[in-house]
Amino acid sequence: MRASRRRFIQAGAAGIALLATVRWLDAWPAAPAARLKKLDARAVEMLEAVVPVVLAGALPEDAGEKSAAVAQIIEGFDRALSGLDPAIQDEIGQMLGVLVYAPTRITVAGVWSPWKEASAAEIAAFLGDWRGSRYELKRSGYRALTQLIKASWYDNPAAWRILGYPGPPQVVPPGTT
Amino acid sequence: MIEDPIRIGVASGWKTIDAARIDRPLELQADVAIVGSGAGGGVTAEMLSAAGLAVVILEEGPLASSSEFRMREREAYPRLYQDSAARQTRDKAITILQGRAVGGSTTVNWTSSFRTPPRTLDYWSRALGLKTVSSGALDPWFRRMEERLSIAPWPVAPNENNDVLRRGCEKLGIPAAAIARNVKGCWNLGYCGMGCPTNAKQSMLVTTLPAALAKGATLVHRARVISLEARGERIVACEARGIEGNGVGPGPQRVRVSARHFVLAAGGIGTPAILLRSRAPDPHLVLGRRTFLHPTVISGATMPQKVAGYYGAPQSVYSDHFQETALDGPIGFKLEAAPIHPVLAGITLPGFGAPHTDWMKKLDQAQVLIALLRDGFHEGSPGGRVLLRSDATPVLEYPIGDYLWEGMRRAYLAMAEVQLAAGAQVVLPMHESAATTGTWREARAMIEALPLRPLSTRISSAHVMGGCAMGPDPRRAVVDESLRHHQLENVSIHDGSIFPTSLGANPQLSIYGFTARAAARLAAALGKPVPGVTEA
């Protein structure tokens, strides 16, 4: 793991051109956070910053409801991750490793501030850069990160109210059970 | 309360075993072991059981049924789909929706039923040398399965999402028609993709598999077949493992089934993977190659009126106008609509933040068209290849060349034109660089300038075909036209992997028809003809 992390940093220093040929940092960084199966505390902190940017306008406006929604999204992200093919789980784990490790957060994601302090504009710039990157690895990282966040929110009835989705129909006519 | 035929059947004494819950190794014997319980496995199980053969069915997914089909995406995708509905090609450019449940993809498909298009059958005869695939030879089998599964044109008015396709085509003078569906007493709810809560969908789960179980077949679910055990040219047993609770990895439980004959019906990635892991003979390097997907691109629109694309039969209108073209020319595509549920819509819609959210907040006015590209008929579309990762799980490598990209651009143009003709306020191709546009002139200029490349273009597939092609020539095919393996004398393949190209149509009825014929032949060859079947 140390060797591959060093390689990754060299790639950043030598120019991101090498990125496409370098694998994401391997291995899950640390033990999962409380109540989670996969995500560690640093990944949770990163997601707490990124989720409100990805879902700007789609989360509750009330601060308390909003932070409850973000917590539920992170739990959903964790659950969804653990249902993916083990090989894909590893790759996403490596991407999360890149995002939470300060030197690669700066060189590969371009986010200078620690996630807790990063502004919405800085995070949006990172997402936009990866989304339109010429490197497949970054576009793939953008897609995995945003899709897991979206999938973890849009089946929540709290989200349905904001989207105007009435939810599944009642199949069993009331009073017939 | 809606009756759950599976729970009733299990209570009545069907032989079903959850391999994730056994505490000692399981040894079973059968005349025929069937690996997979989807379209091919289900049909085969019913016919062989009716013939009086002892059948064991092994299925990787769980035995889930209507009592737990609650129309919730977050329950259905992880439980009923491969990789939580997020299976991807090796470069992650294409997302593959494939079922993993008792009933296979038929438990979660959108019910669209088409016979194999005659021009596809002609191509297989003319260009690939197949001898018994004329419409005349197959029609009796398609008719048999249409009757068995109540397949008929959907007589109910399409939902607005599908009607936009119909009206847009009409405005442009393009033919469109109603889709036949395998339903009986359908409530028109729209949640076919999460498991039918009313048992109206005539999937394998509620038709052929219960018939086989009632005849004494054994169903082992949550059992992933790892490999086949060979003795010379014959297979003597297959080895499976129970699946862990979250459905991802194999657990410690072992299941071994010995049988006279083995039918592989694990689908277009699963079946080649079993043969590759088993190091099955492949003298001409055809196994797992030429795998096709109907690569599918997607176009969203906002209509001025309410669409509510989350309700109503998900697919009821189609147009083949754009594939009524020469097979050796630019790639053709089929146009259909796709259901609009919040998770599927959210992960398909590009972007993040306010522009993304603005679209999501108009979910009830959203309309979605899809274009399924007919791959495999041209040298520019050689398909993909199933490989094994270092942990022996399969992954499909599917390179996308210029021939396909060109077709995707034409498909984006065609879909936007149809949507705008039907009155769309704005259209948006599902592509990370696309802009929302409101006129055909703007849309055309925008689409013509889109950089088409992996992971910017949203590409999906719900149809994995090929990889174990049928054909008379072992240099090009894995199985013969009776679907018997060319090298292994007691192995057949009964699933979508037998098709030598894509179909140009949603595959379930093609799989039903081809495997019904093969199952009848197999039963006769094993000395127990299927009652009531004359021609085989």
Side-chain angles (χ1 to χ4, degrees), chain A residues 37 52-59 61 72 79-89 91 123-128 131-137 139-143 146-148 150-157 160 162-173 176-177, chain B residues 1-2 70-75 78 83-84 86-88 91-95 100 187 189 191 197-198 246 248-249 306 310-311 340-343 345-354 356-357 360-364 389 391 393-394 431-434 453-459:
Chain A
K37 296 174 194 161
V53 178
V54 171
L55 295 173
L59 294 172
E61 283 173 19
Q72 287 173 24
R79 200 168 43 238
L81 188 56
S82 68
L84 298 178
D85 190 303
I88 303 294
Q89 288 189 37
E91 289 180 8
I123 293 168
F126 142 67
L127 290 169
R131 177 189 183 197
S133 172
R134 44 195 282 237
Y135 302 109
E136 279 190 21
L137 202 56
R139 300 204 298 278
S140 147
Y142 161 81
R143 181 176 291 189
T146 54
Q147 286 191 332
L148 281 164
K150 293 170 180 177
S152 304
W153 177 230
Y154 291 134
D155 192 63
N156 190 323
W160 299 349
I162 295 161
L163 306 182
Y165 169 58
Q170 187 77 19
V171 164
V172 183
T176 59
T177 46
Chain B
M1 206 48 199
I2 291 163
R70 284 181 287 262
M71 301 180 278
R72 290 295 298 271
E73 290 178 278
R74 83 167 156 212
E75 295 172 6
D83 298 340
S84 301
R87 185 170 241 187
Q88 292 169 326
D91 67 358
K92 303 184 178 60
I94 307 179
T95 301
R100 189 192 61 201
W187 293 28
L189 295 173
Y191 290 76
T198 67
N246 67 358
V248 175
K306 186 172 166 126
Y310 30 80
Y311 293 152
I340 305 164
H341 296 107
V343 171
I347 62 174
T348 304
L349 194 62
F352 63 91
H356 169 84
T357 304
M360 288 303 290
K361 284 182 169 171
K362 292 182 187 145
L363 197 73
D364 62 341
R389 297 190 185 100
D391 66 356
T393 58
H431 183 292
E432 293 294 348
S433 304
R453 58 181 186 181
L455 292 154
S456 290
T457 314
R458 280 273 193 279
I459 311 171

Side-chain angles (χ1 to χ4, degrees), chain B residues 150 154 181-188 196 198-202:
Chain B
S150 306
W154 175 236
R181 306 181 62 221
N182 56 322
V183 294
K184 199 150 114 185
C186 173
W187 293 28
N188 205 19
C196 181
T198 67
N199 298 305
K201 174 162 62 174
Q202 299 296 288

Side-chain angles (χ1 to χ4, degrees), chain B residues 208-362:
Chain B
T208 55
L209 294 169
L213 289 162
K215 290 269 185 190
T218 299
L219 170 66
V220 188
H221 53 101
R222 293 210 288 178
R224 177 181 297 167
V225 170
I226 305 298
S227 62
L228 307 173
E229 187 183 319
R231 194 171 299 153
E233 310 282 272
R234 289 185 67 81
I235 299 301
V236 293
C238 64
E239 287 273 346
R241 287 294 192 83
I243 294 288
E244 279 176 359
N246 67 358
V248 175
Q253 304 87 351
R254 301 173 71 92
V255 180
R256 185 173 184 275
V257 183
S258 45
R260 291 166 63 196
H261 196 91
F262 294 82
V263 174
L264 301 183
I269 292 175
T271 289
I274 291 167
L275 289 168
L276 288 167
R277 283 195 296 260
S278 307
R279 301 181 192 281
D282 179 26
H284 306 289
L285 302 179
V286 285
L287 175 61
R289 302 181 196 230
R290 289 186 57 80
T291 296
F292 301 104
L293 289 173
H294 287 154
T296 297
V297 289
I298 308 157
S299 182
T302 301
M303 306 303 293
Q305 73 277 17
K306 186 172 166 126
V307 176
Y310 30 80
Y311 293 152
Q315 294 190 317
S316 53
V317 175
Y318 75 101
S319 174
D320 274 343
H321 174 73
F322 297 96
Q323 55 179 4
E324 296 293 336
T325 53
L327 289 167
D328 56 0
I331 195 163
F333 50 87
K334 189 180 197 79
L335 289 187
E336 295 175 344
I340 305 164
H341 296 107
V343 171
L344 197 55
I347 62 174
T348 304
L349 194 62
F352 63 91
H356 169 84
T357 304
D358 289 347
W359 270 88
M360 288 303 290
K361 284 182 169 171
K362 292 182 187 145

